[in-house]
Amino acid sequence: MMRRYCLVVVLCLVSSTQADINNKYFPESFQFGAAGAAYQIEGAWNEDGKGESIWDHFLHYNNPTSKVADGTNGDVACDSYHKWQEDVDNLKKLGVRIYRLSISWTRILPDGTPYRVNQEGVDYYLNLFKALKQNGIEPLVTLYHWDLPQHLSDFGGFLNPQLADYFAAYARICFENFGPYVKYWMTINEPQTTCGSGYSLGAHAPGYTLIDGGMYQCAYVSLLAHARAWHVYNDEFRAQQGGKVALGLVCGLSIPLDPNNPKDQEAAERNHLMGCASYGNPVYVGNWPQVMIDRIAAKSKEGNYPFSRLPQFTQEEIDLINGTSDFLAVNYYSSALVQYLDDFVGFPPNNLFDLNVLAFANQSWPQAASIWLTSYPEGLRIILNRLNKDYNPGEIIITENGWSDTGELDDQGRITYIQAHLSAILDSILEDGINVTGYTVWSLMDSFEWSTGYTEPFGLIKVDFNDPQRTRTWKSSAKYYQNVIATRCLLDQCQ
Ligand SMILES: *[C@@H]1O[C@H](CO)[C@@H](O)[C@H](O)[C@H]1NC(C)=O
Ligand SMILES: *[C@@H]1O[C@H](CO)[C@@H](O)[C@H](O)[C@H]1NC(C)=O
Ligand SMILES: *[C@@H]1O[C@H](CO)[C@@H](O)[C@H](O)[C@H]1NC(C)=O
């Protein structure tokens, strides 16, 4: 679509971004896909035995306009609980080989505990997985995409290390029931985001503002929970089911504002180590990065804490977590310029002062509707090289990457973003020898985007949220992506 349009607009042909697009074919083995998550699409929040999650609770018991830009929630969302067959039809029509989705914990275990399994919830996912397989689509399944059972949140949620026991039990039930249909599992999606937004900033459920240490305790418990689930799979299911399990990281490239200034270099490195690597390092090399351990200990001490606000792993815990990954699942949206800030002690001590950098976008990077999202595809190639070198994961899947706008059907901005990022991925495969085997674009459909509600959609397919039928309409980007998948080529012609 877009290319035909470009052919009549001569300017387009000479624009530098077009000229930079890789004109080789994607390898036959490369798996194109699309992504979504339970709370964002399913709706049916209390149907067929489903229990209450922290997002249900958060948006039912707070004034919704104080938490979500348009005062909406995910009670109905895309209604995929009822319209899943249409979703499968759209995936098939797009030609994708993988569909990334998440399981709603409270649909399977209404109060989160293993005491009672809700068979209707199990059946929903079984039907969906079977239909996907019948259409040649592999489900890539996230166990936890932010919708913690409210009962377990009352029990402390990600502040309580015993959550790891509950998560391992839930994971076992999922592996038992769905393992025959699922070969790619993700344990927790972007714990960096939920721990920061849910336990420190308070913008996401459960809405805690524990600015000194909530985020670190949550990180500690998330890593234990991930590791326990991985071991359940490794010990009890791998031999029979032969699948793979990974934690869901979110990583961008941290670029020193002044590349020749050692202080900015240090700040950029710190931003990486205390961000993406704060979850990547424990899983792939063991323990938090030393910089993170040392800084938080020092800042805690300066703030009169006789202990570090960062929980310390015992050697036993390090061994439990180290190596618990069968591939690298990484979400990439954007990168940042990072500037050094002079160290100072902030009161009360908190993670912003622990990190103590300024991070912002280059003004020349195109801006999406979401304030946090700009386009810098070169950053994806560079961060892939770094993660591959640091973690040697064997296989990498880009599990999220996408662009928000204001919902237009002719979404040229999304096409440009997806094309440029797929081109960066192809460069990393063909020129850098990095084993990126798949890509699940965020998102298949417009969906409930947490604090921004339905105001900044990411979908290839438009959903009419004012229509009780939740009618789906293909945007230009869906047609472009369909063509890319069919030809394995990002342009009109490849070599
Ligand atoms: C921002 O991007 C422009 C265009 O690519 C580049 O020339 C400039 O050096 C970048 N600025 C910084 C501070 O990296
Ligand atoms: C993590 O495991 C690797 C491989 O077994 C080992 O070399 C490394 O020392 C471990 N890391 C820690 C911090 O124990
Ligand atoms: C890439 O990963 C896939 C899946 O694990 C594997 O089959 C393939 O051999 C790997 N390719 C390379 C070049 O390592």
Side-chain angles (χ1 to χ4, degrees):
M1 277 305 279
M2 181 202 56
R3 293 298 298 162
R4 233 171 285 144
Y5 172 76
C6 282
L7 286 178
V8 296
V9 181
V10 175
L11 249 186
C12 199
L13 291 175
V14 296
S15 90
S16 65
T17 42
Q18 285 291 317
D20 291 341
I21 299 301
N22 192 312
N23 68 352
K24 302 286 191 302
Y25 289 100
F26 275 85
E28 270 305 317
S29 57
F30 190 80
Q31 309 172 87
F32 290 98
Y39 185 72
Q40 296 179 268
I41 64 167
E42 284 179 6
W45 77 275
N46 61 354
E47 283 183 50
D48 294 345
K50 180 183 169 295
E52 185 188 42
S53 79
I54 54 172
W55 273 92
D56 297 323
H57 192 90
F58 188 57
L59 298 182
H60 290 160
Y61 291 90
N62 285 297
N63 174 1
T65 51
S66 71
K67 300 296 172 193
V68 177
D70 53 4
T72 58
N73 60 37
D75 285 1
V76 181
C78 307
D79 199 21
S80 285
Y81 185 70
H82 298 111
K83 296 180 69 87
W84 59 272
Q85 275 156 321
E86 195 177 333
D87 295 345
V88 174
D89 290 345
N90 273 318
L91 289 159
K92 183 170 188 194
K93 212 168 126 196
L94 278 170
V96 297
R97 212 184 284 174
I98 35 180
Y99 178 41
R100 179 178 174 222
L101 69 149
S102 77
I103 293 175
S104 160
W105 190 336
T106 55
R107 225 180 260 299
I108 307 294
L109 307 175
D111 65 1
T113 72
Y115 174 67
R116 186 169 61 85
V117 177
N118 178 35
Q119 193 58 41
E120 286 176 285
V122 172
D123 289 343
Y124 169 68
Y125 294 106
L126 279 177
N127 290 334
L128 176 55
F129 297 151
K130 286 179 190 167
L132 288 168
K133 298 288 264 195
Q134 276 160 12
N135 287 289
I137 301 164
E138 282 293 330
L140 187 167
V141 177
T142 311
L143 291 171
Y144 182 70
H145 202 122
W146 305 2
D147 45 358
L148 190 69
Q150 179 61 33
H151 174 74
L152 296 184
S153 192
D154 294 340
F155 194 61
F158 282 94
L159 303 177
N160 180 355
Q162 207 181 8
L163 186 74
D165 294 323
Y166 286 92
F167 187 69
Y170 161 60
R172 178 179 291 107
I173 289 165
C174 290
F175 298 148
E176 261 165 17
N177 281 282
F178 308 128
Y181 305 96
V182 180
K183 294 304 158 225
Y184 284 113
W185 293 97
M186 287 166 68
T187 53
I188 303 177
N189 177 66
E190 291 190 16
Q192 194 183 326
T193 307
T194 51
C195 289
S197 295
Y199 291 87
S200 182
L201 297 173
H204 284 184
Y208 297 157
T209 49
L210 305 168
I211 61 167
D212 63 335
M215 174 175 143
Y216 301 136
Q217 179 67 12
C218 172
Y220 170 74
V221 175
S222 296
L223 285 160
L224 291 176
H226 156 78
R228 291 285 307 284
W230 186 89
H231 283 286
V232 167
Y233 194 82
N234 197 51
D235 297 347
E236 303 171 31
F237 298 94
R238 185 187 301 287
Q240 216 189 336
Q241 298 182 352
K244 295 187 169 193
V245 183
L247 179 67
L249 300 180
V250 56
C251 302
L253 181 68
S254 294
I255 306 163
L257 177 65
D258 175 355
N260 299 315
N261 178 345
K263 297 259 185 190
D264 284 353
Q265 289 168 7
E266 181 201 317
E269 182 63 7
R270 184 157 81 227
N271 197 54
H272 173 76
L273 292 175
M274 291 178 68
C276 162
S278 67
Y279 291 90
N281 278 28
V283 167
Y284 291 94
V285 295
N287 212 352
W288 317 105
Q290 197 60 44
V291 167
M292 182 174 178
I293 295 172
D294 293 346
R295 280 188 70 87
I296 299 170
K299 297 269 183 171
S300 299
K301 197 168 172 203
E302 288 167 26
N304 298 328
Y305 284 63
F307 54 89
S308 177
R309 291 174 291 111
L310 180 70
Q312 309 293 295
F313 290 119
T314 63
Q315 188 59 47
E316 202 184 336
E317 289 169 338
I318 288 173
D319 295 341
L320 178 84
I321 298 166
N322 190 6
T324 53
S325 188
D326 306 314
F327 65 105
L328 179 76
V330 62
N331 299 350
Y332 175 91
Y333 286 92
S334 197
S335 292
L337 299 173
V338 181
Q339 184 174 17
Y340 178 84
L341 282 184
D342 269 334
D343 255 320
F344 64 98
V345 189
F347 294 99
N350 67 59
N351 60 71
L352 288 179
F353 296 138
D354 293 335
L355 179 60
N356 206 37
V357 300
L358 267 186
F360 43 89
N362 184 325
Q363 288 192 346
S364 76
W365 298 342
Q367 175 73 51
S370 308
I371 188 153
W372 53 270
L373 177 52
T374 55
S375 177
Y376 185 60
E378 294 86 342
L380 174 53
R381 180 173 175 188
I382 299 169
I383 194 71
L384 281 174
N385 272 273
R386 168 141 197 201
L387 296 175
N388 194 57
K389 176 163 100 21
D390 288 355
Y391 298 152
N392 191 25
E395 176 178 10
I396 301 177
I397 298 181
I398 310 299
T399 41
E400 283 182 33
N401 175 249
W403 187 251
S404 60
D405 56 20
T406 49
E408 53 268 33
L409 280 176
D410 189 23
D411 53 339
Q412 296 298 324
R414 181 165 296 108
I415 292 175
T416 304
Y417 179 93
I418 292 172
Q419 182 187 47
H421 286 78
L422 280 170
S423 177
I425 291 168
L426 191 53
D427 290 345
S428 76
I429 296 170
L430 298 179
E431 289 170 41
D432 309 333
I434 298 188
N435 198 14
V436 183
T437 62
Y439 173 87
T440 54
V441 66
W442 189 269
S443 50
L444 173 65
M445 294 174 282
D446 293 347
S447 57
F448 180 77
E449 288 289 344
W450 316 108
S451 316
T452 58
Y454 300 102
T455 60
E456 297 169 2
F458 281 78
L460 302 179
I461 295 173
K462 184 178 182 70
V463 176
D464 184 350
F465 294 102
N466 296 316
D467 175 354
Q469 296 304 314
R470 295 297 191 270
T471 308
R472 281 102 159 110
T473 308
W474 278 37
K475 301 180 190 177
S476 299
S477 61
K479 296 168 197 162
Y480 171 72
Y481 196 47
Q482 180 187 41
N483 189 55
V484 168
I485 296 172
T487 59
R488 315 192 76 73
C489 168
L490 297 169
L491 298 163
D492 274 349
Q493 277 199 315
C494 277
Q495 296 174 348

